mmCIF file of all heavy atoms in Angstrom:
data_model
loop_
_atom_site.group_PDB
_atom_site.id
_atom_site.type_symbol
_atom_site.label_atom_id
_atom_site.label_comp_id
_atom_site.label_asym_id
_atom_site.label_seq_id
_atom_site.Cartn_x
_atom_site.Cartn_y
_atom_site.Cartn_z
ATOM 1 N N VAL A 44 6.766 -19.687 -4.788
ATOM 2 C CA VAL A 44 6.511 -20.334 -6.081
ATOM 3 C C VAL A 44 6.782 -21.834 -5.980
ATOM 4 O O VAL A 44 6.029 -22.658 -6.530
ATOM 5 C CB VAL A 44 7.362 -19.664 -7.188
ATOM 6 C CG1 VAL A 44 7.356 -20.487 -8.455
ATOM 7 C CG2 VAL A 44 6.867 -18.262 -7.476
ATOM 8 N N ALA A 45 7.857 -22.205 -5.264
ATOM 9 C CA ALA A 45 8.178 -23.631 -5.101
ATOM 10 C C ALA A 45 7.075 -24.361 -4.309
ATOM 11 O O ALA A 45 6.662 -25.472 -4.694
ATOM 12 C CB ALA A 45 9.518 -23.786 -4.411
ATOM 13 N N VAL A 46 6.612 -23.743 -3.246
ATOM 14 C CA VAL A 46 5.545 -24.367 -2.453
ATOM 15 C C VAL A 46 4.236 -24.435 -3.256
ATOM 16 O O VAL A 46 3.521 -25.445 -3.196
ATOM 17 C CB VAL A 46 5.346 -23.609 -1.121
ATOM 18 C CG1 VAL A 46 4.108 -24.089 -0.382
ATOM 19 C CG2 VAL A 46 6.570 -23.769 -0.240
ATOM 20 N N ALA A 47 3.941 -23.401 -4.014
ATOM 21 C CA ALA A 47 2.739 -23.418 -4.846
ATOM 22 C C ALA A 47 2.845 -24.510 -5.919
ATOM 23 O O ALA A 47 1.856 -25.193 -6.221
ATOM 24 C CB ALA A 47 2.518 -22.064 -5.512
ATOM 25 N N GLY A 48 4.026 -24.687 -6.490
ATOM 26 C CA GLY A 48 4.209 -25.760 -7.454
ATOM 27 C C GLY A 48 4.005 -27.134 -6.833
ATOM 28 O O GLY A 48 3.424 -28.036 -7.452
ATOM 29 N N PHE A 49 4.461 -27.308 -5.611
ATOM 30 C CA PHE A 49 4.242 -28.563 -4.906
ATOM 31 C C PHE A 49 2.760 -28.769 -4.604
ATOM 32 O O PHE A 49 2.217 -29.862 -4.761
ATOM 33 C CB PHE A 49 5.061 -28.602 -3.618
ATOM 34 C CG PHE A 49 4.869 -29.856 -2.819
ATOM 35 C CD1 PHE A 49 5.474 -31.037 -3.197
ATOM 36 C CD2 PHE A 49 4.063 -29.841 -1.687
ATOM 37 C CE1 PHE A 49 5.291 -32.188 -2.463
ATOM 38 C CE2 PHE A 49 3.869 -30.999 -0.932
ATOM 39 C CZ PHE A 49 4.492 -32.164 -1.326
ATOM 40 N N LEU A 50 2.095 -27.695 -4.175
ATOM 41 C CA LEU A 50 0.694 -27.789 -3.802
ATOM 42 C C LEU A 50 -0.208 -28.128 -5.010
ATOM 43 O O LEU A 50 -1.092 -28.958 -4.921
ATOM 44 C CB LEU A 50 0.232 -26.489 -3.156
ATOM 45 C CG LEU A 50 -1.226 -26.405 -2.732
ATOM 46 C CD1 LEU A 50 -1.488 -27.403 -1.606
ATOM 47 C CD2 LEU A 50 -1.579 -25.023 -2.285
ATOM 48 N N PHE A 51 0.061 -27.478 -6.137
ATOM 49 C CA PHE A 51 -0.762 -27.681 -7.317
ATOM 50 C C PHE A 51 -0.288 -28.824 -8.207
ATOM 51 O O PHE A 51 -0.883 -29.090 -9.249
ATOM 52 C CB PHE A 51 -0.835 -26.393 -8.143
ATOM 53 C CG PHE A 51 -1.474 -25.253 -7.399
ATOM 54 C CD1 PHE A 51 -0.845 -24.019 -7.368
ATOM 55 C CD2 PHE A 51 -2.674 -25.410 -6.731
ATOM 56 C CE1 PHE A 51 -1.418 -22.958 -6.687
ATOM 57 C CE2 PHE A 51 -3.264 -24.354 -6.057
ATOM 58 C CZ PHE A 51 -2.617 -23.120 -6.040
ATOM 59 N N GLY A 52 0.801 -29.493 -7.828
ATOM 60 C CA GLY A 52 1.316 -30.603 -8.609
ATOM 61 C C GLY A 52 1.930 -30.178 -9.922
ATOM 62 O O GLY A 52 1.837 -30.903 -10.916
ATOM 63 N N ARG A 53 2.538 -29.011 -9.955
ATOM 64 C CA ARG A 53 3.183 -28.482 -11.161
ATOM 65 C C ARG A 53 4.682 -28.367 -10.953
ATOM 66 O O ARG A 53 5.174 -27.367 -10.411
ATOM 67 C CB ARG A 53 2.631 -27.091 -11.508
ATOM 68 C CG ARG A 53 1.172 -27.020 -11.763
ATOM 69 C CD ARG A 53 0.886 -27.582 -13.131
ATOM 70 N NE ARG A 53 -0.406 -27.159 -13.577
ATOM 71 C CZ ARG A 53 -0.636 -26.671 -14.763
ATOM 72 N NH1 ARG A 53 0.337 -26.524 -15.616
ATOM 73 N NH2 ARG A 53 -1.849 -26.335 -15.110
ATOM 74 N N PRO A 54 5.462 -29.363 -11.350
ATOM 75 C CA PRO A 54 6.908 -29.273 -11.156
ATOM 76 C C PRO A 54 7.591 -28.198 -12.011
ATOM 77 O O PRO A 54 8.697 -27.805 -11.713
ATOM 78 C CB PRO A 54 7.412 -30.668 -11.532
ATOM 79 C CG PRO A 54 6.321 -31.310 -12.306
ATOM 80 C CD PRO A 54 5.043 -30.634 -11.908
ATOM 81 N N ALA A 55 6.900 -27.690 -13.024
ATOM 82 C CA ALA A 55 7.484 -26.638 -13.847
ATOM 83 C C ALA A 55 7.630 -25.341 -13.059
ATOM 84 O O ALA A 55 8.434 -24.482 -13.423
ATOM 85 C CB ALA A 55 6.613 -26.404 -15.077
ATOM 86 N N PHE A 56 6.877 -25.194 -11.973
ATOM 87 C CA PHE A 56 7.001 -23.996 -11.134
ATOM 88 C C PHE A 56 8.401 -23.888 -10.531
ATOM 89 O O PHE A 56 8.867 -22.788 -10.244
ATOM 90 C CB PHE A 56 5.959 -23.996 -10.044
ATOM 91 C CG PHE A 56 4.584 -23.547 -10.473
ATOM 92 C CD1 PHE A 56 4.224 -23.504 -11.809
ATOM 93 C CD2 PHE A 56 3.662 -23.159 -9.545
ATOM 94 C CE1 PHE A 56 2.972 -23.118 -12.205
ATOM 95 C CE2 PHE A 56 2.389 -22.746 -9.926
ATOM 96 C CZ PHE A 56 2.046 -22.731 -11.251
ATOM 97 N N LEU A 57 9.049 -25.021 -10.311
ATOM 98 C CA LEU A 57 10.400 -24.993 -9.764
ATOM 99 C C LEU A 57 11.373 -24.337 -10.740
ATOM 100 O O LEU A 57 12.266 -23.585 -10.327
ATOM 101 C CB LEU A 57 10.880 -26.404 -9.393
ATOM 102 C CG LEU A 57 10.138 -27.051 -8.248
ATOM 103 C CD1 LEU A 57 10.628 -28.481 -8.056
ATOM 104 C CD2 LEU A 57 10.315 -26.248 -6.979
ATOM 105 N N ASP A 58 11.187 -24.606 -12.013
ATOM 106 C CA ASP A 58 12.026 -23.962 -13.026
ATOM 107 C C ASP A 58 11.805 -22.451 -13.044
ATOM 108 O O ASP A 58 12.745 -21.664 -13.171
ATOM 109 C CB ASP A 58 11.735 -24.540 -14.412
ATOM 110 C CG ASP A 58 12.102 -25.997 -14.524
ATOM 111 O OD1 ASP A 58 12.985 -26.447 -13.757
ATOM 112 O OD2 ASP A 58 11.516 -26.689 -15.381
ATOM 113 N N ILE A 59 10.553 -22.054 -12.889
ATOM 114 C CA ILE A 59 10.242 -20.623 -12.838
ATOM 115 C C ILE A 59 10.883 -19.994 -11.610
ATOM 116 O O ILE A 59 11.438 -18.894 -11.679
ATOM 117 C CB ILE A 59 8.710 -20.405 -12.855
ATOM 118 C CG1 ILE A 59 8.135 -20.874 -14.182
ATOM 119 C CG2 ILE A 59 8.361 -18.957 -12.577
ATOM 120 C CD1 ILE A 59 6.625 -20.964 -14.205
ATOM 121 N N GLY A 60 10.825 -20.707 -10.483
ATOM 122 C CA GLY A 60 11.448 -20.204 -9.258
ATOM 123 C C GLY A 60 12.951 -20.056 -9.380
ATOM 124 O O GLY A 60 13.530 -19.076 -8.914
#
Side-chain angles (χ1 to χ4, degrees):
V44 168
V46 170
F49 179 77
L50 179 66
F51 298 131
R53 299 285 198 133
F56 280 17
L57 293 176
D58 295 335
I59 294 169

